[in-house]
Amino acid sequence: MMEPGLYHILTVSIALFFIGVMGFLTRRNLITMLMSLELILNSVNLNFIAFNKYVWPGKMDGLFFTIFIIAIAAAEAAVAIAIIINLYRSNQSIDVTNAEDLKY
Amino acid sequence: MNEFFSLMKSELVLTGIIFLLLFIKIGKGVKNETLLPLIQVLLLANFLFGFFLNKQGRLFGDMYYTTSLIVMQKNILNLGVYLISLVCADWLKKTQHLAEFFLLMLSALLGMFFMISSANLLIFYLSLELATIPVAAMANFDLEKKTSAEGAMKMILSSAFSSGILLFGISLIYGTTGSISLPQLGQLLDNSPLQILAFIFFFAAFAFKLSIVPFHLWTADVYEGSPIAVTSFLSVISKGAVAFIFMTMLFRVFQPMAHIWYQLVVVLAIATMVIGNLFALRQQNIKRFLAFSSIAQVGFILVAVSSNDPMGITSVVYFVLVYIFSNLAAFGVAAVITEKTGKENIDDYKGLYKTNPFLSWILALSLFSLAGIPPTAGFFGKLFLITAGSANANYWFIIVVALNLIVSLYYYLRVIRAVFMDKNDNPVEPVTISAPVRLGLLICGAGIVITGMLSWIYDYIYTLK
């Protein structure tokens, strides 16, 4: 049984990052886009933790950063969902293709 | 203890104002007619207080630092917020949630202050979020309007996406150097491929916030959809603050990569100017027109960024000061006319001079300044930006910049022609301008004329280090 090392974790986190980017760019449902953003942020968290554990074991900066990212992501999601609810009130839909009054 | 207060003076005063507003809001309801003048006085006091008790130093284990140049940048931002509270007074008076609006706006300003002063990537990230999340909530302030919600949605999603990209860049920088302290990073970066990748992520996030060209698409929609007070805040204050920290990052932290980012900045400066100008040519809505013109202006800021010397920083700070006066004058006129008549189209501005000479002159002055025509301050701003940009003796680049200046002249003069020369059977009726708006417009107009004439302002900024 092989111990997971830094490269395994980095592979997972990069895959997670690009799955998030892909989801953000191709999905048309606003809630799913928010979920993709969370994937991006979680891949960053994974990166920080992995670097902290394997490369810089004596430092704490990466762990602190992760905690703050989790807190900020919650704040961001709260504001985003409030805006989406307001958009739903006027649009009756949370599909981005229905929110295209502003163009060019 | 005393040092703590004098170093964090701007932030502490602003926090005090935020709490005061919060208590006013929690307490018994105060009418907008009494609350707005109070806020204006508080903001003026905040701006004036910025000139006293200034010190240099570091706090919180080198996470926060301040210098006289940073204090100057904070004063410029304070001035901008005070002017917004004046020129957008008509819209502000009518809004139902005035106290909340200023709570959000001042929280964003507080975030910007911490962002300019940050000496650590953690503080930088936290303050960047504090500076963008409230603005997205502000963009949704016209709760009944569909476009306002749409603009806010576009803003929060693109800013969250860009901060995700920024964080990925920061995590790679942390992985390769083991540090998130900016002064240390300046020495630790050694241009390994992973660091260059990290830098590109980092740069892309800044490009989102500054609306540099491949990442500019959210700008025009958000500007058009949001209430005009928010649009002016976004286009002047947010952009200025991000430009300040962007220069610090490139010049101090990413100095070892200067030969890499120089190419990037030159190409993006040209792309930003050309695309901003070309799209501004075909706009009919005044807010959208000003949005694309602000994209083009960011291109000119990038010209000075490419210089990589202290003159670049000085010219950008000076340009942002001039830009605050000129852009807020233009937005102020647009705010008055939109608020009183509901007209936002440039065609509706035809024949404005016949009915509203005061507004027409202020609009003409601000557009001349944005275009960079000599007696106004905008000319000197552009002159210093381009002089700084020519430090690298890259003359074909300067020629392209000059050609873009000519294109921008065309579309600014198109609006002036509509205002002064075109005939219109149904012009904007004469509007009464309330006292605070008139004061704000006069300050902006005076700023446009005087800032260019007084050469010591530029020299003074140059002496601050």
Side-chain angles (χ1 to χ4, degrees):
Chain A
M1 185 79 188
M2 200 173 64
E3 274 283 297
L6 176 65
Y7 290 101
H8 300 94
I9 298 181
L10 285 188
T11 313
V12 172
S13 85
I14 289 204
L16 212 55
F17 180 80
F18 283 103
I19 291 169
V21 171
M22 186 71 190
F24 183 79
L25 296 178
T26 56
R27 288 304 181 121
R28 287 287 156 261
N29 184 304
L30 284 170
I31 301 290
T32 326
M33 287 169 83
L34 267 188
M35 285 157 62
S36 313
L37 283 175
E38 296 293 322
L39 278 189
I40 295 178
L41 293 178
N42 282 332
S43 87
V44 175
N45 287 343
L46 216 55
N47 251 353
F48 269 117
I49 301 281
F51 283 134
N52 213 73
K53 179 162 165 43
Y54 291 102
V55 190
W56 310 102
K59 298 193 174 182
M60 297 293 278
D61 294 336
L63 299 180
F64 291 150
F65 224 116
T66 310
I67 294 169
F68 279 107
I69 291 172
I70 294 170
I72 295 277
E76 214 160 41
V79 174
I81 287 177
I83 289 172
I84 291 172
I85 290 173
N86 193 47
L87 187 72
Y88 180 77
R89 285 207 181 115
S90 54
N91 256 353
Q92 306 304 324
S93 143
I94 51 167
D95 198 302
V96 272
T97 42
N98 290 334
E100 47 177 22
D101 290 351
L102 303 166
K103 259 187 180 175
Y104 312 120
Chain B
M1 201 59 188
N2 197 14
E3 195 194 19
F4 174 77
F5 282 112
S6 57
L7 288 180
M8 291 191 67
K9 169 202 63 158
S10 322
E11 286 83 359
L12 288 173
V13 172
L14 204 55
T15 317
I17 296 176
I18 291 174
F19 274 102
L20 189 65
L21 281 177
L22 201 59
F23 290 136
I24 289 176
K25 181 65 202 171
I26 294 172
K28 57 182 192 299
V30 182
K31 279 207 180 104
N32 280 358
E33 281 75 25
T34 48
L35 186 55
L36 187 59
L38 174 70
I39 292 173
Q40 283 161 351
V41 170
L42 283 175
L43 288 176
L44 179 62
N46 178 31
F47 167 61
L48 293 177
F49 187 64
F51 290 100
F52 300 104
L53 299 172
N54 289 322
K55 279 191 183 164
Q56 315 201 2
R58 298 173 170 276
L59 279 179
F60 305 122
D62 281 3
M63 279 186 160
Y64 174 98
Y65 78 110
T66 185
T67 64
S68 44
L69 182 65
I70 286 176
V71 171
M72 178 76 191
Q73 294 170 345
K74 287 175 183 168
N75 286 341
I76 290 176
L77 298 182
N78 269 333
L79 173 69
V81 170
Y82 172 61
L83 286 177
I84 288 177
S85 78
L86 287 179
V87 295
C88 299
D90 289 337
W91 181 83
L92 290 170
K93 221 171 247 174
K94 268 181 28 187
T95 181
Q96 274 183 325
H97 308 283
L98 181 64
E100 285 95 329
F101 184 82
F102 273 98
L103 276 177
L104 291 170
M105 190 169 189
L106 295 181
S107 310
L109 186 66
L110 185 65
M112 284 162 201
F113 282 3
F114 274 110
M115 183 165 76
I116 298 173
S117 281
S118 61
N120 187 298
L121 285 173
L122 179 58
I123 298 292
F124 166 70
Y125 167 66
L126 291 178
S127 48
L128 185 73
E129 291 296 324
L130 182 57
T132 47
I133 295 177
V135 181
M138 277 157 68
N140 204 350
F141 237 72
D142 274 342
L143 287 173
E144 276 75 43
K145 268 171 76 183
K146 201 176 161 188
T147 49
S148 180
E150 186 186 331
M153 179 270 286
K154 284 176 177 165
M155 164 125 201
I156 187 82
L157 285 182
S158 52
S159 70
F161 184 59
S162 73
S163 51
I165 293 175
L166 174 80
L167 281 173
F168 200 79
I170 292 177
S171 77
L172 293 184
I173 289 174
Y174 176 68
T176 49
T177 62
S179 170
I180 51 171
S181 147
L182 296 184
Q184 284 177 25
L185 278 178
Q187 280 124 40
L188 288 171
L189 290 174
D190 54 3
N191 292 351
S192 66
L194 199 55
Q195 279 172 6
I196 292 173
L197 182 67
F199 170 71
I200 288 173
F201 276 109
F202 209 80
F203 194 95
F206 268 107
F208 255 112
K209 307 278 178 205
L210 271 176
S211 57
I212 294 169
V213 141
F215 310 99
H216 68 291
L217 292 159
W218 61 277
T219 317
D221 293 355
V222 175
Y223 281 23
E224 191 185 343
S226 334
I228 206 152
V230 184
T231 311
S232 38
F233 184 80
L234 264 174
S235 78
V236 182
I237 314 290
S238 295
K239 209 152 270 186
V242 179
F244 294 150
I245 185 71
F246 182 57
M247 307 205 56
T248 322
M249 287 283 176
L250 288 187
F251 289 8
R252 303 266 155 76
V253 182
F254 289 103
Q255 190 59 44
M257 298 187 182
H259 59 287
I260 299 168
W261 61 251
Y262 175 71
Q263 311 285 344
L264 202 60
V265 168
V266 167
V267 172
L268 290 183
I270 291 173
T272 309
M273 277 182 291
V274 170
I275 298 206
N277 279 339
L278 290 183
F279 276 84
L281 287 176
R282 57 189 288 270
Q283 297 308 322
Q284 285 306 313
N285 182 300
I286 186 95
K287 272 154 100 183
R288 229 179 152 73
F289 163 77
L290 287 171
F292 279 106
S293 103
S294 85
I295 293 177
Q297 305 281 351
V298 169
F300 290 105
I301 290 182
L302 283 185
V303 174
V305 172
S306 77
S307 72
N308 194 11
D309 65 9
M311 194 189 163
I313 297 185
T314 314
S315 59
V316 168
V317 175
Y318 180 78
F319 182 76
V320 169
L321 175 66
V322 173
Y323 185 60
I324 280 182
F325 286 128
S326 9
N327 226 16
L328 284 183
F331 273 116
V333 173
V336 171
I337 291 176
T338 313
E339 197 53 45
K340 298 281 156 97
T341 64
K343 290 177 177 170
E344 280 192 354
N345 252 332
I346 291 176
D347 284 342
D348 298 329
Y349 282 66
K350 281 181 183 169
L352 185 72
Y353 179 62
K354 290 267 177 352
T355 50
N356 294 295
F358 174 69
L359 290 181
S360 308
W361 281 115
I362 294 286
L363 186 62
L365 205 55
S366 72
L367 291 178
F368 275 134
S369 175
L370 286 173
I373 290 174
T376 57
F379 167 72
F380 296 98
K382 290 264 166 64
L383 178 71
F384 293 136
L385 286 183
I386 293 174
T387 316
S390 57
N392 287 319
N394 199 347
Y395 290 114
W396 63 266
F397 174 46
I398 302 303
I399 290 171
V400 176
V401 174
L403 290 177
N404 271 293
L405 269 177
I406 298 170
V407 178
S408 73
L409 203 59
Y410 169 75
Y411 60 78
Y412 287 122
L413 290 183
R414 189 172 64 110
V415 178
I416 293 175
R417 178 170 159 237
V419 168
F420 281 90
M421 293 159 82
D422 283 355
K423 300 247 181 318
N424 191 351
D425 298 332
N426 184 19
V428 177
E429 58 265 32
V431 292
T432 48
I433 308 164
S434 56
V437 180
R438 189 177 287 270
L439 176 65
L441 290 178
L442 282 174
I443 293 176
C444 288
I448 292 170
V449 178
I450 291 171
T451 322
M453 302 292 176
L454 299 177
S455 62
W456 61 264
I457 296 181
Y458 181 82
D459 292 335
Y460 174 67
I461 299 174
Y462 193 74
T463 56
L464 301 174
K465 278 286 124 45

